[in-house]
Amino acid sequence: MSGPAAGTASAATTTDVVCLGESMVTFLPSQPGRLADVPSFGRGIGGAESNVACALAAAGHRAAWVGRVGADGFGEHLVETIAGYGVDTSAVRRDPVRPTGIYFRTATDRGTDTHEVAYYRAGSAASAMSPANVPYEELFAGRILHLSGITAALSADCLELLRELTAARPGRPLVSFDVNHRPHLWRGGDASVLLELARRADLVFVGEDEAEEAWGIVGAEAIRAAVPEPSVLVVKRGSAGATVFASGLRPGPRSSNAGGAENALGARSTEGGGAEKADTVTHVPALRVDVVAAVGAGDAFAAGFLSATLRGLTVRDRVRHGHLMAAAVLTVPGDLTEPPARDHADRLAALDDDAWGRLRLGPGWTAADRAPEEVRTP
């Protein structure tokens, strides 16, 4: 089968979000310092798309991860660990020849000059994903298909796969695309292809910093001008928060038909004569967080935003849930953690602007089921 059949997603679905991408075994240092000096490492998992799937499943959604791993112990560890979060891994394929990717990293934040990452992913099982060997029926079975630019950088076949999955066709689920520009993956390549893929998606996440680095585009308004097609564009602005450009967004419960579901989730809708609705622009400040480790925060933000989107919440609350999910990961050492209970997160997301601005979250905040005014403030 060389591509998805038209109308695949029109059948009744049992999955909220399907995430496609590479997950790797990550080795985390036992102490700070250079990789050359670290005496031992603990084993974990890492992968943008599987992180999103795990966070969504932990938040009570039906999530699936589709990927390709080696027929080796590391591949088994990945599948078992991700499934342990409640994620459906039944569509993961084992490659009998290529290995599962692994990487090592230092304990420092990836934004500092001392951060090191050593990847061993060239020729990995995931890099062999292509339009010819992925399970399209499973990929198109959910309400949302979540992809990222990392996959596009793995190989020419992976790029062709993302082009196939983002192509417009009847019955396509809402496509969520996190640009996730990783400069080391694009050495000798052309990261401008990420702009092409973003323009073909329905919901896009991109950081101001990565848009400038990958495309030479500066500022949220300029990014929207370069990426006008998606119904929802989320521009992440670091400590300044996030700005959302939404066009034709009609929050609401899921409809019984695919088209209605897409509109409820935020797909492009048109007025008479095909004219697109003007953008609604929403800016939501970031939370103040006592950061333990910054790795995985972007994936958690995407998961929080998608969770609130599935629930039909307002744009402001979608962003706030993204910030809260990111804060949960920022206050632990690893890429994944238990998210706050839904009612706890809902109470915080419902705070007025002044109270939201006063919040400061530290380690352990997600376990405390407290009233909003009891959450740590300065």
Side-chain angles (χ1 to χ4, degrees):
M1 186 175 183
S2 61
T8 300
S10 62
T13 61
T14 59
T15 304
D16 292 322
V17 182
V18 178
C19 302
L20 168 88
E22 179 173 36
S23 190
M24 296 181 290
V25 171
T26 176
F27 289 92
L28 310 174
S30 58
Q31 64 185 44
R34 303 184 310 155
L35 287 178
D37 301 326
V38 175
S40 60
F41 297 81
R43 185 179 65 175
I45 67 170
E49 301 85 1
S50 59
N51 284 348
V52 172
C54 289
L56 283 166
H61 297 284
R62 298 162 299 183
W65 172 61
V66 178
R68 195 172 180 88
V69 301
D72 50 36
F74 287 145
E76 289 302 313
H77 173 66
L78 280 174
V79 174
E80 290 173 3
T81 303
I82 293 168
Y85 281 88
V87 176
D88 181 356
T89 58
S90 60
V92 175
R93 299 294 188 260
R94 273 75 168 177
D95 191 308
V97 178
R98 300 171 182 84
T100 303
I102 64 173
Y103 72 99
F104 298 76
R105 68 172 174 86
T106 54
T108 51
D109 177 51
R110 70 162 51 120
T112 69
D113 292 336
T114 58
H115 183 68
E116 298 175 73
V117 181
Y119 288 99
Y120 300 89
R121 74 196 310 175
S124 69
S127 69
M129 290 188 296
S130 76
N133 64 17
V134 297
Y136 281 102
E137 183 176 354
E138 286 88 347
L139 284 171
F140 278 55
R143 299 172 65 188
I144 297 175
L145 172 62
H146 180 71
L147 310 168
S148 97
I150 294 174
T151 304
L154 297 181
S155 68
D157 282 344
C158 284
L159 173 56
E160 187 57 32
L161 173 61
L162 286 202
R163 283 180 167 143
E164 184 76 45
L165 293 175
T166 57
R169 58 171 49 84
R172 186 187 82 173
L174 183 143
V175 173
S176 165
F177 181 72
D178 191 336
V179 171
N180 249 329
H181 176 240
R182 297 289 185 264
H184 67 273
L185 289 177
W186 291 99
R187 290 171 186 157
D190 183 5
S192 66
V193 72
L194 296 176
L195 181 59
E196 170 199 334
L197 294 170
R199 295 183 64 179
R200 294 156 66 102
D202 301 301
L203 164 59
V204 173
F205 301 94
V206 62
E208 276 191 319
D209 54 347
E210 60 186 350
E212 181 175 3
E213 187 170 24
W215 308 329
I217 300 172
V218 180
E221 294 287 346
I223 295 170
R224 181 52 161 172
V227 190
E229 292 86 356
S231 300
V232 181
L233 172 68
V234 183
V235 179
K236 297 176 291 183
R237 307 176 64 195
S239 61
T243 299
V244 180
F245 299 86
S247 176
L249 187 65
R250 294 192 290 161
R254 183 185 180 192
S255 169
S256 60
N257 60 77
E262 290 174 5
N263 282 334
L265 291 170
R268 177 78 74 185
S269 62
T270 58
E271 305 215 22
E276 293 174 353
K277 294 182 179 180
D279 273 338
T280 298
V281 182
T282 305
H283 177 72
V284 181
L287 288 163
R288 287 180 291 174
V289 179
D290 296 332
V291 177
V292 173
V295 178
D299 305 329
F301 178 91
F305 191 97
L306 290 174
S307 173
T309 297
L310 286 162
R311 297 171 60 201
L313 303 186
T314 65
V315 172
R316 187 205 70 169
D317 286 357
R318 296 179 195 198
V319 180
R320 285 190 171 187
H321 276 276
H323 286 323
L324 289 165
M325 194 81 86
V329 169
L330 287 169
T331 50
V332 298
D335 293 26
L336 293 166
T337 189
E338 187 73 19
R342 181 173 290 185
D343 59 348
H344 186 195
D346 283 345
R347 289 198 301 271
L348 296 182
L351 292 174
D352 62 40
D353 290 345
D354 287 342
W356 177 264
R358 291 195 302 271
L359 283 180
R360 181 168 181 172
L361 304 178
W365 75 269
T366 59
D369 188 11
R370 298 173 292 184
E373 61 270 15
E374 294 176 313
V375 175
R376 179 182 174 182
T377 59

